[in-house]
Amino acid sequence: MLGLVIFAIIALIAVIIVQLSKVSELAASIKGEEEARIQGNNRTAFWMVIFMIAFLVFCVVSALYYKDSMLGYGPHESASEHGLDLDSLFDVTLIFTGIVFILTQIVLFWFSYKYREQKGRKAVFFPHNAMLEYIWTGIPAVVMVYLVVQGLFVWNETMSDVEPGEDYIEIEATGYQFAWDIRYPGADGKLGTKNFRLINPANNPLGQDWSDRKNIDDFIPAEIVLPVNKKVRVAINSKDVLHNFYLPHFRVKMDAVPGLPTYFIFTPIKTTEEYREGLKDYPEWQLPADETEPDGPQRWEAFDYELACAELCGSGHYSMRKVVKIVSEAEYEEWLSKQTSYYMSNVRNTDIDPFKGELLGLEIANRKDALVSQFNEAMGADELGSIINLEHVFFDTGSANLREISKYELQNVADLMKNNASVQFELGGHTDSQGDDSANQVLSDNRANAVMNYLSNLGVSSARMKAKGYGETSPIESNDSAEGRQANRRTELKITSK
Amino acid sequence: MAELITTYDTDAIIAEKGYDDHFHEHHHGDKYQSGFIHHYIFSMDHKIIARQFLITGIFWAIIGAAMSIIFRLQLGFPEESLAWLKPLLGKWIVVDEAGIGTLAPEFYYALVTMHGTILVFFVLTAGLSGTFSNLLIPLQIGARDMASPFLNMLSYWFFFMAGVVMFYSLFLSTGPFSGGWTAYPPLSALPQASTGSGTGMTLWLVSLTLFVVSVLLGGINYITTVLNLRTQGMSLWRMPLTIWAFFVTAILGLLSFPVLASGFFMLIFDRSLGTSFFLSDIFINGQALDRVGGTPILYQHLFWFLGHPEVYIIILPAMGISSEVLSVHARKPIFGYKAMVLSILAIGFLSFIVWAHHMFMSGVNPFISNFFVIFTLIIAVPSAIKVFNWITTLWGGNIRLNSAMLFAIGFVSMFISGGLTGIFLGNSAIDIQLHDTYFVVAHFHIVMGIAAFFGMFAGIYHWYPKMFGRFMSETMGRIHFWGTLIGAYAIFWPMHYIGMAGVPRRYYSFDTFDAFSHFDDMNKFITIAAIVVFALQLLFVLNFFYSIWKGKVVKSRNPWGATTLEWSTPIDPGHGNWPGKIPSVHRWAYDYGKDGIEFVPQYIPMVEGEEAGDAGH
Ligand code: HEM
Ligand SMILES: [Cu+2]
Ligand SMILES: [Cu+2]
């Protein structure tokens, strides 16, 4: 019904316009063609000038009105170092082109008005003028050379890769339909290698090659966090189609191309907090961030830098958002220390872990720290009897043969004991409940003794140590599950005298 | 100096001074004109083929523009219900429980893609240069028809078939292609990457391959005709600027479209024969693709090697038309004719070595970009020369501000506005921020979309009397002009601001991002302006068809007082254009106001002691 009404209205308007044109043409033929034409000409010429003025006023006023939401103006100064150059290049170009724009539009419409057809006027015969033509070939040429030179300086500076030995942070962004994964290199500062054939959304979203030890500490956080005033090199990849790594506030943009790694280098110069402070003074940023919550945080408080996609990649192209946080160096270090690597939390000791059953350097070091702090805690406790689980002591299945990798833990224990010569302690062996009770008792005795012998070979006096087998008598977990049984098979260290 | 004749009988002059090619002694002339089918459908007459291109172009323009209205509604009024479009779009309108209908993102992208493809290729390439090259080349150089009327006919029918295939693809259950008019792989190469990349993309490729054939058949004809069929006395330097523009356009097409076709073929191979020209290291839909070793950037090079010349293929005819219309209605010679020709040639040449300015951010070696920045900004110089020359053509004129002239002036205004933003984008450093934002959308719609449409409108209003023997209504023409001029700026000017705020193009919704979501008012404004402009184009269409039957009848054969040869033919020229001999040419095309005489057509002989109008160069 509505459709019908709209259709009827449109048809009516069409009829009216057609009739109107007929009438005006009829009027023209009454007035005389020539007369009517000159009149129409005058009227149109007048409107040309009105349009020109209105148009230019509209351009200037609207530009001023929207100034604060545009590139480089108001609160939107670049948040990166190279972006400042780029913004000023934009401004220089704007000045030149603005002048040309205003002058040529004025002259174009003014001439149309001034030289409108009039009775008795004769057009000037002016087919060419070499001087004029040289001038307006020369001036644009000079301006263009100026802009090109300026532009190329900024371009080559911005796009040049890092020098060897330079101090920078490298991170990696991988686009896919329809999100980004960001990978940090972890403590070693190096990103591990990857291969798209290894990708498995369940346990290896980026196709990291786990046999490359550089991958062990790489982590994939939910947000990009970077320290202010530090150069960042973003290695940019794609898993499927083209994407584009776009950080509007930092003037960063680069395609993500499957099979062809790209990069962009930039230095953030404003923390998120500083940028928010810059926005705070503008009324449009003082509105509530969420309209339904008038008392909630204001827009400037809710501001975050954002990562977007700027290359059409399919139906979800408009939704590839990720938050970017720029923080102080100290905050960055703190954040880093809280991240756990993807490998450690998802791959370590699973079937796809090539280092399963091996101890990694990182684990050895971490374990050492943990052991020392557990020991110190036990020593500081008021009462005796604190128990330290020697997590890295392993035996061959069903036997009391110490495995090779137990040597790190036992070396650490030996060192601790040598440094604390007054301490006496008991080594307790435990098994799970599988198998015969008495066999388990024997096995636990033998294992405790094996550890004691090993330590004494490292120079810890046997007089300070006692070995005791507990068999399956004191489980710490239920013996119903494999994990529980694993936890119950253990060697414990108990301080019996300080 | 002898007195120049100012009143003359055109037929008598042609009979006396014209060139006799014995055309009417061979009776082939009307053989293929007899009967409705041969006259109006499978016609080989360039004038009929021109009208076929034009009307097909208008058809596609309406479809393409209507698509833009639908996706603009989604962008401007995302909260309003589009459920009323369900009868038309069916499953592509998703209606939620509350009864609010929204456009499906897949279809939003399909609409954007089809809009671009249709307007760039079907409307502004075929509809513009197909129409006016066909109409004007033989008429203005004094030829009976194209060098090969048969190939010319084929050119139209290949275009027509391309249209049929594309039209069919709109109704596929998976939708038409939706990966952008540039069709970058891997998105366009892998059906699993997007629903539109399945059958929709196959048909897109088939359609555009047919289209390339059409362009090549047309182009080779235009070039041959201009080179070989010029009438006696029509030296290259006496050709009107329209002909220069069509000529260079055809050369650009002939050199660049085959490169696009090669890109298309590789894409077809990648899609169906298991090659990997453009594919490498891809993991999609839970599977690693076995095909490695290619690079998607190769496609971009092939595409833009056509793509950039293509934008000039679109604008050069509009430039030629506007030059001609400005000169005729200002009653003055075009200022700096030789400079105009040379700048067309320079632009044509340079347009082949700037393509990678579309690829500054696509991962090509940044060093290479240095060259493309330099060449790109050099192109601004001949462009600037043209603008200054057009403006100077107006200076001191006696300007008739009719619809044709208004659109020609509007063309210059648009070309200035859009050309200047090219200077920002051409500087790769600035392009880092502006690439693929609304700033680019504003740039190319103003400089190419609107400007080319204005040139086309100028041409239609100006040559309508030649095509249909009637005038279009002036009143409607002026309403059309003012509404379109104001409306087009209203649509595209604000997009500069949105772009400068960093908002990327090709976003279905701006809500996901805090940085992009604060331009609701501007987006509404743009959408409303787009609807108004669309309605005004329907007014143009109304005027066009109404005037075919009811327009004011043309009574004299040269209603504008123009100098070029098309106005020396009878009001309704038959096949072969001139009933007797072909006029021979004695002067350049721009003797307006020389020696105090309002205009002297090209076929009027020079009198003794008369100096040529373009002398001094
Ligand atoms: C002063 C002369 C011009 C310069 C310096 C220039 C420069 C540029 C640049 C660098 C781009 C790429 C922007 C980007 O994607 O980041 C671009 C895009 C474009 N330009 Fe121009 N341009 C000029 C004139 C023209 C003309 C005359 C036309 C058409 C008639 C045109 C049509 C286009 C189109 C269609 C695009 C966008 C294509 C797309 O990405 O979809 N330009 N221009
Ligand atoms: Cu995307
Ligand atoms: Cu280009």
Side-chain angles (χ1 to χ4, degrees):
Chain A
M1 188 57 210
L2 186 70
L4 215 67
V5 173
I6 292 174
F7 181 78
I9 292 174
I10 291 174
L12 202 69
I13 293 174
V15 172
I16 291 173
I17 291 177
V18 169
Q19 293 305 328
L20 225 84
S21 336
K22 267 196 187 158
V23 170
S24 78
E25 261 136 55
L26 211 70
S29 65
I30 295 168
K31 249 186 283 183
E33 294 271 335
E34 162 114 17
E35 189 66 27
R37 207 178 70 218
I38 298 286
Q39 254 185 27
N41 228 36
N42 281 334
R43 211 168 28 209
T44 308
F46 171 75
W47 285 109
M48 286 274 190
V49 176
I50 299 294
F51 171 80
M52 179 257 284
I53 294 169
F55 174 50
L56 293 178
V57 168
F58 163 78
C59 291
V60 174
V61 171
S62 64
L64 291 176
Y65 183 78
Y66 282 108
K67 175 173 75 55
D68 291 342
S69 51
M70 295 186 316
L71 186 73
Y73 298 100
H76 288 293
E77 271 180 17
S78 168
S80 71
E81 199 173 283
H82 74 275
L84 296 175
D85 296 339
L86 200 147
D87 289 358
S88 77
L89 195 63
F90 185 96
D91 291 343
V92 172
T93 313
L94 185 62
I95 290 169
F96 280 115
T97 53
I99 293 171
V100 175
F101 172 75
I102 290 177
L103 290 184
T104 47
Q105 297 284 1
I106 289 179
V107 176
L108 175 69
F109 287 101
W110 176 248
F111 283 178
S112 308
Y113 166 79
K114 177 114 193 284
Y115 300 105
R116 68 195 179 279
E117 181 180 22
Q118 276 169 347
K119 264 193 218 136
R121 173 175 352 238
K122 274 205 164 164
V124 182
F125 185 72
F126 186 47
H128 56 82
N129 178 314
M131 195 57 196
L132 273 180
E133 288 170 70
Y134 288 137
I135 291 175
W136 62 55
T137 310
I139 292 178
V142 172
V143 173
M144 285 306 143
V145 169
Y146 176 76
L147 292 177
V148 166
V149 171
Q150 294 271 309
L152 291 184
F153 269 120
V154 176
W155 170 255
N156 289 311
E157 172 108 1
T158 305
M159 301 309 288
S160 58
D161 207 343
V162 286
E163 309 277 327
E166 215 176 327
D167 183 25
Y168 65 93
I169 298 176
E170 171 136 43
I171 65 172
E172 179 198 72
T174 305
Y176 57 96
Q177 290 177 330
F178 295 101
W180 294 99
D181 277 345
I182 307 296
R183 182 160 66 123
Y184 279 68
D188 64 352
K190 293 201 182 73
L191 291 163
T193 51
K194 54 180 202 174
N195 179 341
F196 75 104
R197 292 184 202 275
L198 299 175
I199 294 176
N200 180 342
N203 58 23
N204 194 356
L206 295 177
Q208 281 165 279
D209 179 353
W210 302 125
S211 65
D212 177 5
R213 286 173 189 267
K214 294 203 289 294
N215 270 317
I216 285 171
D217 57 357
D218 293 2
F219 62 93
I220 307 177
E223 294 171 340
I224 306 181
V225 177
L226 292 168
V228 70
N229 293 329
K230 178 112 188 206
K231 193 176 257 198
V232 186
R233 184 184 194 276
V234 190
I236 302 165
N237 292 187
S238 167
K239 269 198 246 178
D240 40 33
V241 299
L242 297 177
H243 299 276
N244 184 303
F245 184 85
Y246 176 34
L247 299 174
H249 304 94
F250 300 93
R251 319 292 188 248
V252 168
K253 191 177 281 149
M254 182 51 71
D255 269 6
V257 186
L260 185 117
T262 55
Y263 66 89
F264 203 104
I265 293 157
F266 71 107
T267 308
I269 52 172
K270 273 190 202 169
T271 63
T272 303
E273 214 40 64
E274 283 163 357
Y275 205 88
R276 287 179 184 158
E277 288 300 313
L279 294 172
K280 190 171 150 188
D281 302 333
Y282 292 83
E284 65 272 26
W285 288 91
Q286 291 161 359
L287 305 171
D290 182 352
E291 277 164 34
T292 55
E293 240 185 282
D295 300 325
Q298 295 190 337
R299 277 190 55 202
W300 67 270
E301 291 168 295
F303 169 86
D304 264 316
Y305 294 122
E306 290 170 309
L307 160 65
C309 178
E311 183 69 76
L312 179 55
C313 55
S315 59
H317 167 52
Y318 62 95
S319 58
M320 292 174 58
R321 177 175 188 263
K322 214 169 199 71
V323 167
V324 180
K325 292 211 164 103
I326 306 297
V327 297
S328 68
E329 181 76 38
E331 287 166 308
Y332 177 66
E333 292 300 335
E334 192 197 327
W335 176 81
L336 273 187
S337 68
K338 285 200 213 121
Q339 304 304 313
T340 40
S341 91
Y342 189 87
Y343 169 84
M344 282 302 182
S345 44
N346 296 280
V347 177
R348 183 65 186 142
N349 285 331
T350 64
D351 289 342
I352 58 166
D353 180 8
F355 306 120
K356 188 176 175 182
E358 234 178 85
L359 282 180
L360 301 166
L362 187 75
E363 288 169 325
I364 292 164
N366 284 348
R367 177 60 199 154
K368 177 172 184 178
D369 294 346
L371 184 70
V372 170
S373 72
Q374 279 173 329
F375 181 77
N376 290 340
E377 204 176 316
M379 293 294 285
D382 293 339
E383 290 165 38
L384 288 174
S386 310
I387 290 173
I388 299 170
N389 187 352
L390 298 180
E391 288 170 16
H392 283 186
V393 171
F394 304 100
F395 296 92
D396 289 341
T397 313
S399 96
N401 278 345
L402 269 170
R403 298 228 307 256
E404 181 63 21
I405 53 171
S406 310
K407 66 180 179 203
Y408 304 106
E409 182 96 338
L410 294 177
Q411 181 66 54
N412 290 334
V413 172
D415 291 346
L416 277 172
M417 292 310 162
K418 282 189 216 156
N419 292 340
N420 299 276
S422 62
V423 173
Q424 301 204 346
F425 58 99
E426 176 197 288
L427 293 161
H430 297 262
T431 67
D432 59 25
S433 63
Q434 304 279 90
D436 185 53
D437 289 6
S438 55
N440 279 337
Q441 181 60 44
V442 174
L443 183 61
S444 65
D445 285 341
N446 290 346
R447 284 183 168 177
N449 278 317
V451 172
M452 190 169 83
N453 289 340
Y454 193 92
L455 286 175
S456 98
N457 282 343
L458 287 176
V460 182
S461 150
S462 314
R464 299 169 57 195
M465 302 185 272
K466 200 172 91 187
K468 181 166 183 198
Y470 290 89
E472 56 181 72
T473 55
S474 38
I476 49 173
E477 298 274 341
S478 151
N479 273 311
D480 294 343
S481 73
E483 291 90 51
R485 289 193 291 273
Q486 161 124 49
N488 290 337
R489 296 191 294 269
R490 67 194 189 276
T491 306
E492 286 177 353
L493 182 153
K494 185 159 80 184
I495 295 175
T496 50
S497 158
K498 293 192 204 169
Chain B
M1 189 182 112
E3 196 59 15
L4 194 79
I5 21 171
T6 50
T7 50
Y8 35 77
D9 176 349
T10 302
D11 287 332
I13 294 180
I14 295 176
E16 183 193 337
K17 298 275 184 187
Y19 168 72
D20 192 358
D21 61 348
H22 307 283
F23 178 73
H24 290 278
E25 286 160 30
H26 319 289
H27 283 280
H28 64 263
D30 293 301
K31 190 174 63 196
Y32 45 81
Q33 286 241 328
S34 49
F36 181 82
I37 299 260
H38 284 282
H39 191 154
Y40 288 109
I41 313 248
F42 294 106
S43 171
M44 298 200 224
D45 183 340
H46 70 101
K47 298 184 292 300
I48 297 286
I49 296 175
R51 279 171 269 187
Q52 290 175 326
F53 269 109
L54 181 57
I55 289 170
T56 315
I58 290 176
F59 168 81
W60 278 112
I62 295 172
I63 301 221
M67 289 174 165
S68 74
I69 298 300
I70 297 174
F71 67 68
R72 268 314 320 178
L73 281 174
Q74 178 65 39
L75 292 178
F77 300 93
E79 267 101 60
E80 299 294 317
S81 175
L82 288 179
W84 57 276
L85 277 170
K86 198 148 176 78
L88 179 66
L89 300 181
K91 70 168 179 186
W92 300 117
I93 298 285
V94 183
V95 182
D96 63 12
E97 292 112 51
I100 305 288
T102 37
L103 197 59
E106 293 85 3
F107 202 64
Y108 167 83
Y109 285 112
L111 287 176
V112 174
T113 303
M114 285 296 123
H115 167 77
T117 308
I118 288 170
L119 277 131
V120 168
F121 293 112
F122 291 177
V123 181
L124 294 178
T125 304
L128 178 56
S129 109
T131 302
F132 287 101
S133 298
N134 263 303
L135 180 71
L136 294 179
I137 289 176
L139 283 173
Q140 289 196 328
I141 64 169
R144 299 279 181 202
D145 204 317
M146 284 290 173
S148 168
F150 178 70
L151 288 189
N152 207 27
M153 178 184 80
L154 280 188
S155 157
Y156 173 74
W157 287 105
F158 270 98
F159 165 47
F160 187 85
M161 283 191 290
V164 170
V165 174
M166 194 66 83
F167 194 74
Y168 179 77
S169 84
L170 301 180
F171 301 98
L172 293 171
S173 67
T174 45
F177 178 52
S178 59
W181 80 280
T182 51
Y184 284 178
L187 184 60
S188 61
L190 301 172
Q192 58 270 47
S194 139
T195 47
S197 298
T199 318
M201 181 58 188
T202 305
L203 293 185
W204 189 91
L205 283 167
V206 170
S207 169
L208 285 193
T209 306
L210 291 170
F211 186 81
V212 172
V213 175
S214 159
V215 171
L216 297 182
L217 291 174
I220 201 142
N221 234 327
Y222 306 152
I223 294 170
T224 318
T225 309
V226 170
L227 288 180
N228 293 319
L229 296 188
R230 297 193 311 279
T231 184
Q232 203 175 45
M234 180 64 88
S235 65
L236 288 177
W237 286 112
R238 280 182 180 164
M239 297 197 306
L241 286 173
T242 34
I243 302 301
W244 272 110
F246 301 146
F247 179 53
V248 175
T249 300
I251 296 174
L252 296 190
L254 207 57
L255 294 179
S256 62
F257 269 99
V259 178
L260 178 71
S262 71
F264 282 172
F265 289 144
M266 291 186 198
L267 196 50
I268 290 171
F269 293 164
D270 272 9
R271 289 171 58 78
S272 47
L273 299 184
T275 58
S276 51
F277 289 108
F278 307 133
L279 305 173
S280 195
D281 294 26
I282 291 173
F283 181 90
I284 195 162
N285 263 14
Q287 268 181 327
L289 218 63
D290 255 336
R291 289 138 65 190
V292 294
T295 164
I297 293 186
L298 172 62
Y299 174 87
Q300 297 178 27
H301 282 296
L302 295 172
F303 183 88
W304 288 114
F305 189 84
L306 156 94
H308 190 84
E310 167 65 17
V311 305
Y312 283 95
I313 287 171
I314 287 172
I315 206 68
L316 283 177
M319 287 177 167
I321 290 169
S322 299
S323 303
E324 185 67 16
V325 171
L326 284 170
S327 166
V328 172
H329 294 293
R331 314 308 292 146
K332 280 188 66 203
I334 189 81
F335 183 80
Y337 171 78
K338 288 229 162 123
M340 291 302 250
V341 173
L342 292 177
S343 59
I344 290 178
L345 294 171
I347 288 175
F349 172 73
L350 288 170
S351 73
F352 278 103
I353 49 175
V354 300
W355 77 87
H357 66 208
H358 298 273
M359 300 164 60
F360 290 143
M361 297 300 125
S362 65
V364 295
N365 186 332
F367 176 72
I368 304 291
S369 295
N370 285 297
F371 299 101
F372 287 98
V373 169
I374 293 171
F375 293 135
T376 298
L377 293 193
I378 289 178
I379 257 201
V381 175
S383 307
I385 295 173
K386 295 196 81 79
V387 168
F388 295 136
N389 285 3
W390 286 320
I391 292 178
T392 313
T393 303
L394 295 178
W395 177 85
N398 192 23
I399 303 170
R400 301 178 191 143
L401 293 168
N402 52 24
S403 309
M405 185 61 166
L406 288 174
F407 274 107
I409 294 169
F411 165 85
V412 179
S413 171
M414 290 292 167
F415 189 73
I416 295 169
S417 307
L420 287 172
T421 49
I423 295 171
F424 293 77
L425 300 171
N427 225 334
S428 53
I430 305 180
D431 194 47
I432 295 174
Q433 177 69 359
L434 296 180
H435 172 65
D436 255 336
T437 64
Y438 267 85
F439 195 90
V440 177
V441 179
H443 160 69
F444 72 77
H445 276 92
I446 293 179
V447 76
M448 176 177 79
I450 305 300
F453 260 109
F454 272 38
M456 185 160 157
F457 287 135
I460 293 174
Y461 284 105
H462 185 83
W463 279 287
Y464 196 88
K466 192 78 257 162
M467 282 191 267
F468 297 102
R470 291 173 186 265
F471 291 96
M472 286 177 76
S473 155
E474 263 301 309
T475 313
M476 282 194 252
R478 284 182 204 201
I479 297 176
H480 176 217
F481 168 72
W482 284 113
T484 311
L485 179 73
I486 296 167
Y489 272 128
I491 297 171
F492 296 112
W493 193 268
M495 289 190 187
H496 292 111
Y497 303 152
I498 303 182
M500 286 167 71
V503 180
R505 66 195 280 208
R506 292 169 169 166
Y507 265 36
Y508 162 73
S509 151
F510 303 113
D511 292 344
T512 332
F513 288 83
D514 190 45
F516 310 147
S517 61
H518 300 296
F519 301 95
D520 293 359
D521 294 343
M522 227 187 296
N523 276 316
K524 283 193 175 59
F525 177 79
I526 290 172
T527 299
I528 292 168
I531 294 171
V532 172
V533 170
F534 180 65
L536 281 159
Q537 306 320 303
L538 294 181
L539 177 67
F540 164 79
V541 175
L542 176 74
N543 190 0
F544 185 90
F545 287 104
Y546 175 82
S547 303
I548 291 182
W549 290 284
K550 298 278 171 126
K552 198 173 72 177
V553 177
V554 176
K555 299 211 184 64
S556 70
R557 76 168 70 184
N558 189 357
W560 306 126
T563 58
T564 39
L565 293 184
E566 75 272 28
W567 304 107
S568 71
T569 61
I571 291 174
D572 182 17
H575 185 72
N577 298 339
W578 287 268
K581 296 181 184 172
I582 308 180
S584 60
V585 163
H586 304 275
R587 55 182 73 238
W588 74 329
Y590 296 100
D591 269 345
Y592 291 101
K594 197 179 71 161
D595 305 326
I597 301 165
E598 201 193 347
F599 70 99
V600 187
Q602 285 192 280
Y603 52 85
I604 305 289
M606 302 279 278
V607 293
E608 240 184 275
E610 186 190 351
E611 222 181 281
D614 58 338
H617 263 294

